[in-house]
Amino acid sequence: MTTLYEGAFAKVNLTLDVLGKRPDGYHDLQSVMQTISIRDDVEIDVGTGKPWTLSCSAEGIPTDERNLAWKAARVFCDSTGKDPEGISIRITKRIPSGAGLGGGSADAAAVLRALNRHYGEPLSILALAELGSQVGSDVPFCTLTGTAMVEGRGERLRPLPPMPDCTFVVCKPDFSVSTPELYRKLDTVAIPVHPDNRAMENALIAGDLQAVADQLYNVFDPVVTADHLELNYIKSICNSYGSLGQQMTGSGSAVFAIMPSFEYAAVVCNMLKDNFPGIFIAKPI
């Protein structure tokens, strides 16, 4: 038996645009995504000689074939023809669920990277990311990591220059949003503002942190904020204590702020932690 170890890193959406509904019922997206240092830890025993198992340190997470990490292991083994002769997956959860931070997708991506490394890297990182699209929309980016333009259902990736050094504050309020329900709601309204992805890309090319912060925009943000005014409160605290820019990530409900230094981030955390215990300081990676 061999035990594999892999970090599973969260993501934030610097921009997120919904371009329209596709014939298959999914939506075409365009998003600049960024990996951040909040992480789960994934351990995989390969060659257990027993039926597959999965365990997770957090309650309420599926521990069977519904879990994206389990699906990722199955997809990898089926596509490469590898027989692991028994797999046991253990996930130590730190990325909050229902936050828009891609926690389940990050776990799946970690499984893909770990198994690929274990078997001598039969797949390139981009081929591995493409395989991840069979598991979930955010899995390809979470497999690649870094900074990238993500399009289609999440399967089309184009790496971008790395985000300038900064510190993130990430705050997860005590509610989550149903992503399918949010898409249905978005389908019934005209989207008044779209992110300028070209301007965001130019800001990254220039390495201009303030310009990156100025271009943050997520079309889901105003839809969710209309029903959950605590998001405005979180953003206002971030803004009052030095944030360069702040918005919701993914379909929510976490808000992230780009802070100029750890010291500013620590002040914001101190101001929010009593009302919002799900608060983190992170770096872009």
Side-chain angles (χ1 to χ4, degrees):
M1 187 181 78
T2 303
T3 302
L4 316 178
Y5 302 90
E6 188 74 16
F9 292 93
K11 61 83 180 169
V12 293
N13 300 82
L14 301 179
T15 66
L16 177 53
D17 200 4
V18 177
L19 305 181
K21 197 168 185 179
R22 299 152 44 124
D24 61 7
Y26 290 96
H27 290 74
D28 275 317
L29 306 177
Q30 190 174 51
S31 177
V32 177
M33 293 192 189
Q34 174 65 49
T35 306
I36 62 173
S37 57
I38 303 171
R39 62 181 276 176
D40 294 345
D41 286 319
V42 177
E43 298 178 41
I44 309 168
D45 293 335
V46 180
T48 63
K50 299 175 183 177
W52 287 28
T53 63
L54 186 147
S55 62
C56 183
S57 64
E59 294 181 3
I61 304 293
T63 55
D64 54 19
E65 61 273 6
R66 294 171 296 162
N67 190 290
L68 294 186
W70 183 306
K71 289 182 181 179
R74 177 62 65 200
V75 164
F76 180 87
C77 294
D78 288 349
S79 66
T80 58
K82 305 295 184 184
D83 180 1
E85 298 180 349
I87 279 180
S88 179
I89 301 171
R90 295 179 297 282
I91 300 170
T92 302
K93 203 91 184 112
R94 298 185 191 88
I95 304 170
S97 300
L101 294 166
S105 298
D107 297 340
V111 168
L112 291 176
R113 287 194 303 269
L115 290 175
N116 197 49
R117 187 173 65 246
H118 174 67
Y119 286 109
E121 299 188 339
L123 299 175
S124 70
I125 191 66
L126 286 175
L128 197 65
E130 186 176 338
L131 191 63
S133 67
Q134 297 179 36
V135 181
S137 296
D138 286 335
V139 177
F141 172 75
C142 290
T143 303
L144 179 68
T145 72
T147 313
M149 179 72 76
V150 180
E151 297 181 277
R153 272 185 57 205
E155 77 282 5
R156 300 207 310 271
L157 305 174
R158 180 164 56 86
L160 295 174
M163 183 161 180
D165 185 50
C166 65
T167 303
F168 289 101
V169 169
V170 180
C171 183
K172 165 67 170 70
D174 191 24
F175 73 90
S176 295
V177 181
S178 162
T179 302
E181 187 178 307
L182 191 54
Y183 273 110
R184 283 194 293 272
K185 188 176 288 190
L186 201 67
D187 286 337
T188 66
V189 299
I191 299 174
V193 180
H194 294 269
D196 188 338
N197 283 305
R198 185 180 293 267
M200 177 62 82
E201 187 169 345
N202 288 339
L204 290 165
I205 291 168
D208 186 335
L209 183 61
Q210 184 61 67
V212 170
D214 289 343
Q215 294 302 326
L216 296 177
Y217 195 74
N218 176 352
V219 296
F220 287 129
D221 188 321
V223 180
V224 176
T225 301
D227 294 329
H228 297 279
L229 295 180
E230 60 262 57
L231 297 187
N232 274 341
Y233 175 76
I234 294 167
K235 292 174 202 168
S236 69
I237 292 294
C238 294
N239 190 52
S240 296
Y241 290 91
S243 168
L244 304 179
Q246 57 280 319
Q247 75 169 14
M248 192 182 76
T249 181
S251 56
S253 59
V255 170
F256 70 93
I258 298 175
M259 308 302 297
S261 71
F262 177 85
E263 288 74 20
Y264 280 94
V267 170
V268 169
C269 283
N270 196 48
M271 296 300 297
L272 289 171
K273 63 181 171 52
D274 289 342
N275 291 324
F276 303 101
I279 192 159
F280 307 83
I281 293 178
K283 299 288 286 184
I285 59 172

